[in-house]
């Protein structure tokens, strides 16, 4: 975490965010929820800067075919549209991050019969929310930001709804981790993850395996 803090303090926000994610995974493997709780806030701050940089660019790329994908993605907004699916957007973001770039990425699925756009985020679990499309089907930064907020809010609800009242707190943490890649820029989601970690501090390790419903297919509409 020292390297993540140094990266954050020197304005290397993508490096800080990625190091926080790695530290979060390591801490979970060690059942160290106190450390996970401490990691969440610098991760939130790093993601906040990355999100705002992309929105401040004012550029939203609609990616509807392979040739729409720029060779060098910048710190801008990208809306993947059919026939791409959420898993494609996840791969794009991870590849861009590995190359040192921080795009802000969302995916929309085909328009529904009610003339809404399903917005989807893919992680170990899929998060999906349906929104009214932007005017003239042309996203602007305000619409893009709102879509991201709505997606993350749904991710929080999904994570909390996955648990039963008597589930170990560690399982609730895992329910959030299952969805973190679906909405990594969402501040309230990271805050809810931090609260779940705090609730798990000092609690006994689960003695049974966590069981949840069938995972959504990230390639489906």
């Amino acid at each position: 975490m020292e390297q993540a803090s140094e990266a954050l303090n020197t304005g290397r926000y993508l490096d800080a965010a990625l190091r926080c994610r790695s530290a979060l995974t390591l801490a979970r493997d060690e059942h160290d929820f106190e450390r996970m709780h401490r990691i969440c806030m610098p991760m939130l701050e790093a993601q906040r800067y990355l999100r705002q940089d992309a929105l401040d660019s004012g550029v939203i790329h609609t990616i509807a075919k392979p040739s729409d994908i720029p060779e060098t993605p910048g710190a801008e907004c990208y809306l993947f549209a059919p026939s791409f699916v959420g898993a494609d957007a996840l791969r794009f973001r991870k590849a861009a991050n590995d190359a040192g770039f921080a795009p802000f990425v969302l995916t929309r699925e085909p328009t529904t019969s009610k003339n809404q756009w399903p917005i989807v985020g893919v992680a170990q679990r899929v998060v999906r929310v349906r929104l009214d499309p932007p005017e003239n089907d042309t996203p602007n930064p305000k619409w893009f930001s709102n879509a991201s907020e709505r997606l993350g809010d749904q991710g929080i609800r999904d994570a909390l709804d996955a648990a039963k009242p008597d589930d170990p707190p560690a399982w609730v943490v895992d329910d959030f981790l299952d969805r973190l890649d679906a909405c990594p820029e969402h501040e309230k989601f990271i805050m809810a993850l931090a609260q779940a970690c705090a609730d798990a501090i000092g609690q006994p390790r689960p003695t049974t395996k966590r069981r949840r419903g069938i995972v959504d297919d990230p390639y489906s509409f």
Side-chain angles (χ1 to χ4, degrees):
M1 271 304 296
E2 291 80 5
Q3 291 176 321
S5 297
E6 180 185 355
L8 185 61
N9 291 334
T10 56
R12 293 181 286 117
Y13 301 119
L14 176 59
D15 187 24
L18 295 178
R19 289 184 183 278
C20 284
R21 284 298 304 274
S22 296
L24 196 70
T25 300
L26 180 60
R28 178 62 188 96
D29 290 343
E30 297 175 354
H31 205 76
D32 190 343
F33 295 109
E34 183 175 358
R35 182 149 56 103
M36 291 182 72
H37 181 260
R38 293 198 307 269
I39 291 168
C40 284
M41 289 304 103
M43 182 170 69
L44 183 155
E45 186 174 352
Q47 291 288 4
R48 176 190 296 145
Y49 278 106
L50 296 176
R51 170 193 172 100
Q52 198 57 51
D53 280 350
L55 291 171
D56 286 348
S57 75
V59 177
I60 298 177
H61 301 272
T62 297
I63 310 298
K65 56 185 184 299
S67 60
D68 292 333
I69 301 175
E71 291 186 10
T72 304
E76 298 164 342
C77 302
Y78 296 78
L79 179 65
F80 277 68
S83 58
F84 287 107
V85 294
D88 297 315
L90 178 63
R91 283 191 292 268
F92 168 78
R93 186 177 69 222
K94 287 188 173 182
N97 288 170
D98 289 344
F101 302 102
F104 187 3
V105 184
L106 293 175
T107 304
R108 81 165 182 88
E109 295 175 333
T111 305
T112 69
S113 60
K114 295 182 179 180
N115 196 37
Q116 289 187 309
W117 282 5
I119 303 299
V120 63
V122 170
Q124 290 176 284
R125 295 276 174 163
V126 174
V127 179
R128 181 178 285 106
V129 66
R130 291 169 178 81
L131 306 175
D132 292 333
E135 186 176 357
N136 299 322
D137 289 349
T138 304
N140 56 38
K142 182 178 180 180
W143 182 92
F144 199 93
S145 177
N146 178 65
S148 172
E149 285 298 305
R150 292 279 300 277
L151 185 68
D153 290 346
Q154 185 63 49
I156 295 171
R157 287 191 291 270
D158 289 352
L160 294 175
D161 289 347
K164 297 179 180 178
D166 58 346
D167 279 349
W171 289 5
V172 180
V173 173
D174 292 335
D175 289 329
F176 276 96
L177 292 178
D178 282 349
R179 295 163 174 84
L180 183 55
D181 274 334
C183 42
E185 301 88 0
H186 195 272
E187 292 189 22
K188 287 184 290 184
F189 186 93
I190 299 175
M191 292 172 65
L193 168 60
Q195 183 59 55
C197 293
D199 293 341
I201 294 172
Q203 297 297 315
R205 293 195 183 203
T207 57
T208 57
K209 185 176 181 180
R210 180 176 62 121
R211 295 186 182 276
R212 294 295 185 247
I214 297 173
V215 177
D216 285 334
D217 179 4
Y219 294 91
S220 72
F221 293 130

